Amino acid sequence: MAFAPGFRNRDTWFQDFEDAKRSADETMELLHERTQVLEMGGTDAARLTGTIRRKLGGLKSKLENLDGDLKNQNVSDQESERRHDMLSRMKTRCDQMNSMLSKPGARSNGFFDRQADGPARETEQTAELDNHGLVVLQRNIMRDQDTQLDDLSRVVSSTKHISMAIGEEVDLQNRLLDDLDHDIDTNQWRLKNATRKAKELFKKNRSSCKFYGCAFTLLVALVVFITLMLSN
């Protein structure tokens, strides 16, 4: 089956690109293996380092060939820009692997990971995305973060309202306790006053009882005396 020159070149370019991508994946696996060996104190790190350097050199040559082939292809501006983006991301990945090779402690930890003193590098999540795809991914991540922030804001607001309600209830209870203390003080004063008056009244009644008792005794004696006199 015969292909048009443009289609054949396009198919060959993507085949070479896929080959470069597989080489990059293999190199990344070797880098992770080398990191594990270094952490465990193994003796195979030197051999892995040499293998990785050779693979990175081959990958760099493949990317240079892809770049040269891309300049000679007859494709639309949009397609050319898309391939340039793919090739640029692959070059960035190659640079990052070179950086990882010189810094064994560097690790991947997420979307556009950043090393301690190096630029951000792509992950598997972003490696196959063009500029538009990266923008969409970033918007999705930001939307998820906004949703999480909204949920957190609602929780904080609810907690704030509960705290305010508890504070108002505590203030009300404090006012009730203050009123109760005032009533207790007032009743204690009234009770002392009533007790004092009762004692005074008791003393007065005691004196009156003695007087009336004496008067009644004299009256009875007078009646008896009169009765005796009349009977004689």
Side-chain angles (χ1 to χ4, degrees), residues 145-157:
Q145 292 175 344
D146 290 340
T147 301
Q148 294 174 1
L149 288 175
D150 289 340
D151 294 338
L152 180 60
S153 177
R154 284 193 292 270
V155 172
V156 172
S157 178

Side-chain angles (χ1 to χ4, degrees), residues 64-112:
E64 290 176 353
N65 292 333
L66 285 169
D67 194 13
D69 292 342
L70 185 58
K71 295 177 181 178
N72 299 325
Q73 286 192 339
N74 185 18
V75 294
S76 64
D77 292 340
Q78 183 178 1
E79 178 65 18
S80 177
E81 182 180 356
R82 187 172 76 91
R83 296 185 191 184
H84 275 296
D85 289 339
M86 294 172 61
L87 193 57
S88 177
R89 289 195 299 272
M90 186 62 70
K91 288 180 179 179
T92 300
R93 190 179 183 189
C94 182
D95 292 339
Q96 293 299 329
M97 286 189 290
N98 273 308
S99 178
M100 290 178 64
L101 183 63
S102 61
K103 300 174 184 177
R107 287 173 174 254
S108 172
N109 60 359
F111 177 66
F112 283 124

Side-chain angles (χ1 to χ4, degrees), residues 8 19 32 47 87 94 118 124 127 153 159 168 175 207 213 215:
R8 181 175 57 81
D19 181 59
H32 289 317
R47 180 187 63 82
L87 193 57
C94 182
E124 294 181 357
S153 177
T159 304
E168 292 176 356
R175 288 195 297 270
S207 300

Side-chain angles (χ1 to χ4, degrees), residues 200-219:
E200 293 177 355
L201 182 61
F202 177 74
K203 290 180 180 179
K204 291 180 180 180
N205 289 338
R206 187 175 181 181
S207 300
S208 299
C209 288
K210 289 181 180 179
F211 172 76
Y212 288 124
C214 293
F216 180 73
T217 301
L218 290 174
L219 180 62

